[in-house]
């Protein structure tokens, strides 16, 4: 289950058929999305979950099924306390609530989903899988910001990273595509959706990621600025008279591709570029320039890069972004095959040239499968 502020996404997976610890072979029995919570007939998350339960009932797979082993919940922020999948108790819920100041838009919705699911099936194991957990292995020199230590510790200011379930899944899938164990592979994962993040994964362990205290830091995104001089905030406050809330809205909702050219859909930006639109062209170049910077930086962090994996909506579907992001990186041993890159597909595939020292891949992400895999591993294979 993935409970957002105004939606609930769900998948029902049969994990008994899996052939590996990564969930390979699991069977997807059902999936769905309940949107516009708080509008019309879907008044709240309780109503949304009951609607999801009704949809499953129609398939003969209701939430009251004795075959259910567990419910896995996506939780965005686990702070430094929750660094692995966690069986949900009242104490755990309270701990997630304490982290709301670090994720005010996400954790409350995640908690709502947890509470309603526990009410509907109080007998069933419920597991929280945290977006931040995969990145908790970062060394202190990568996770800490260079500010006063006492202030940082008092207020939880450090790099946490996000999209962790995606980075975990894709880094393992990339190793599998190469026919190697994750412990043998150094990977750079580029999760490029409306939100975008990069990670450096050494032998299956995250050592650096682009998002920080919040999902605002790092790459250029659909509506978020990514990296910028922190003094921009002070400047806008002093010179433009903007409040902190106004600046927050600017950087999170009116920046990125949207702020640069008025569109945050890469397909529309590509169409405008083909027509000679200069604003769209500049937005695209800023976007891919930031990507190249992170690939170069993470190459230095890892020392050896075996594979660069593109994933999520833009990463999986935009050949133009992939080509532009990798352009000029031949000195790093990176070379795309233009024919392979242009091909579309729904499965993991290599798009690098045969002579490329570093493999480049497109790996469709599956965050729900990763949540199910981690939840099932925690509660035990009681149904196998």
């Amino acid at each position: 289950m993935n409970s957002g502020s105004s939606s609930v996404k769900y998948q029902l997976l049969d994990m008994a058929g899996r052939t590996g610890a990564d969930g390979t072979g699991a069977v997807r029995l059902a999936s769905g999305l309940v949107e516009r919570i708080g509008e019309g007939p879907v008044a709240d998350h309780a109503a949304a979950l009951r609607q999801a339960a009704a949809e499953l009932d129609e398939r003969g797979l209701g939430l009251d099924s004795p075959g259910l082993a567990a419910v896995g919940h996506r939780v965005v922020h686990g702070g430094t306390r929750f660094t692995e999948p966690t069986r949900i108790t009242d104490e755990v819920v309270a701990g997630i609530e304490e982290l709301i100041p670090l994720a005010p838009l996400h954790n409350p919705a995640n908690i709502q989903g947890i509470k309603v699911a526990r009410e509907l099936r109080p007998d069933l194991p419920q597991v929280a899988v945290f977006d931040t957990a995969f990145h908790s292995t970062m060394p202190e020199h990568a996770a800490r910001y260079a500010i006063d230590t006492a202030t940082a510790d008092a207020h939880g200011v450090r790099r946490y990273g996000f999209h962790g379930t995606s980075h975990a899944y894709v880094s393992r899938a990339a190793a599998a595509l190469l026919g190697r164990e994750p412990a043998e592979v150094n990977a750079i994962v580029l999760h490029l959706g409306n939100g975008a993040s990069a990670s450096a994964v050494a032998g299956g362990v995250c050592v650096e990621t682009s998002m920080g205290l919040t999902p605002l830091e790092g790459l250029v995104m659909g509506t978020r600025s990514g990296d910028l001089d922190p003094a921009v905030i002070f400047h806008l406050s002093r010179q433009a008279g903007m409040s902190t809330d106004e600046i927050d809205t600017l950087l999170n909702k009116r920046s990125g591709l949207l702020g640069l050219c008025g569109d945050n859909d890469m397909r529309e930006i590509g169409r405008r570029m083909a027509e000679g639109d200069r604003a769209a062209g500049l937005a695209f170049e800023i976007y891919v320039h930031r990507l190249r910077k992170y690939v170069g930086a993470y190459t230095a962090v890892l020392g050896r890069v075996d594979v660069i994996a593109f994933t999520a909506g833009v990463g999986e579907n935009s050949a133009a972004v992939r080509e532009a992001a990798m352009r000029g990186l031949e000195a790093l041993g990176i070379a795309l095959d233009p024919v392979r890159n242009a091909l579309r597909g729904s499965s993991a595939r290599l798009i690098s040239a045969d002579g490329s020292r570093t493999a480049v891949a497109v790996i469709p992400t599956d965050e729900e499968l990763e949540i199910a895999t981690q939840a099932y591993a925690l509660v035990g294979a009681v149904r196998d």
Side-chain angles (χ1 to χ4, degrees), residues 75-87 92 96 99 128-138 140 158-160 374:
V75 179
V76 167
H77 217 305
T80 56
R81 175 178 175 181
F82 300 109
T83 59
E84 57 188 14
T86 304
R87 182 80 172 260
V92 169
I96 297 171
L99 293 166
V129 178
F130 298 89
D131 273 7
T132 49
F134 182 65
H135 306 300
S136 65
T137 55
M138 284 188 293
E140 280 294 282
R158 61 186 290 117
R159 173 171 284 108
Y160 294 101
Q374 293 190 30

Side-chain angles (χ1 to χ4, degrees), residues 39-370:
E39 304 176 29
V42 187
D44 50 29
H45 283 75
L49 260 70
R50 291 189 180 94
Q51 180 173 321
E55 292 172 359
L56 290 170
D57 277 335
E58 292 175 1
R59 298 176 173 88
L61 302 166
L63 289 181
D64 58 350
S65 169
L68 283 181
V71 178
H73 297 266
R74 178 201 181 203
V75 179
V76 167
H77 217 305
T80 56
R81 175 178 175 181
F82 300 109
T83 59
E84 57 188 14
T86 304
R87 182 80 172 260
I88 295 172
T89 63
D90 291 344
E91 182 182 6
V92 169
V93 172
I96 297 171
E97 289 175 335
E98 290 174 5
L99 293 166
I100 286 176
L102 293 176
L105 299 179
H106 297 91
N107 273 27
N110 302 153
I111 292 167
Q112 279 294 105
I114 289 170
K115 288 182 175 179
V116 174
R118 292 180 79 198
E119 290 172 4
L120 292 175
R121 283 298 303 269
D123 60 309
L124 201 63
Q126 313 257 341
V127 178
V129 178
F130 298 89
D131 273 7
T132 49
F134 182 65
H135 306 300
S136 65
T137 55
M138 284 188 293
E140 280 294 282
H141 61 256
R144 278 198 176 271
Y145 294 110
I147 68 172
D148 172 67
T149 300
T151 301
D153 289 347
H155 300 285
V157 178
R158 61 186 290 117
R159 173 171 284 108
Y160 294 101
F162 300 90
H163 295 147
T165 52
S166 178
H167 286 277
Y169 177 85
V170 171
S171 60
R172 288 202 315 275
L177 185 64
L178 299 182
R180 299 165 66 181
E181 292 297 320
E184 302 171 352
V185 175
N186 285 358
I188 296 174
V189 178
L190 302 173
H191 177 108
L192 308 179
N194 192 49
S197 59
S199 67
V201 184
V205 176
C206 179
V207 295
E208 177 65 278
T209 192
S210 59
M211 286 180 167
L213 174 73
T214 75
L216 181 59
E217 187 180 1
L219 303 176
V220 176
M221 305 177 220
T223 65
R224 300 177 200 147
S225 65
D227 294 339
L228 81 167
D229 182 345
V232 169
I233 297 169
F234 314 141
H235 178 78
L236 292 175
S237 175
R238 293 166 181 155
Q239 300 300 316
M242 295 178 69
S243 68
T244 54
D245 285 345
E246 288 172 331
I247 297 171
D248 190 313
T249 298
L250 170 69
L251 298 182
N252 278 291
K253 298 182 179 179
R254 296 195 292 113
S255 294
L257 293 171
L258 182 68
L260 289 168
C261 71
D263 272 307
N264 63 326
D265 187 323
M266 191 59 74
R267 293 165 297 187
E268 181 63 16
I269 290 171
R271 183 195 65 77
R272 288 171 54 185
M273 288 171 60
E275 296 175 352
D277 188 303
R278 294 181 64 183
L282 178 59
F284 182 87
E285 287 302 323
I286 292 171
Y287 183 93
V288 297
H289 175 73
R290 188 76 58 84
L291 280 173
R292 282 194 295 266
K293 282 178 61 176
Y294 269 88
V295 169
Y298 286 1
T299 298
V301 168
L302 290 169
R304 183 197 81 247
V305 179
D306 299 299
V307 60
I308 298 169
F310 287 87
T311 194
V314 175
E316 294 171 28
N317 296 297
S318 178
V321 165
R322 297 192 298 262
E323 188 279 328
M326 298 291 95
R327 187 188 306 146
L329 300 182
E330 291 80 9
L332 300 179
I334 300 167
L336 286 192
D337 182 302
V339 175
R340 292 172 182 166
N341 185 45
L343 292 175
R344 298 183 67 87
S346 58
S347 58
R349 61 197 185 277
L350 290 175
I351 59 172
S352 45
D354 290 338
S356 181
R357 188 170 72 245
T358 298
V360 183
V362 177
I363 309 285
T365 192
D366 197 331
E367 294 173 277
E368 288 77 20
L369 176 57
E370 180 67 19

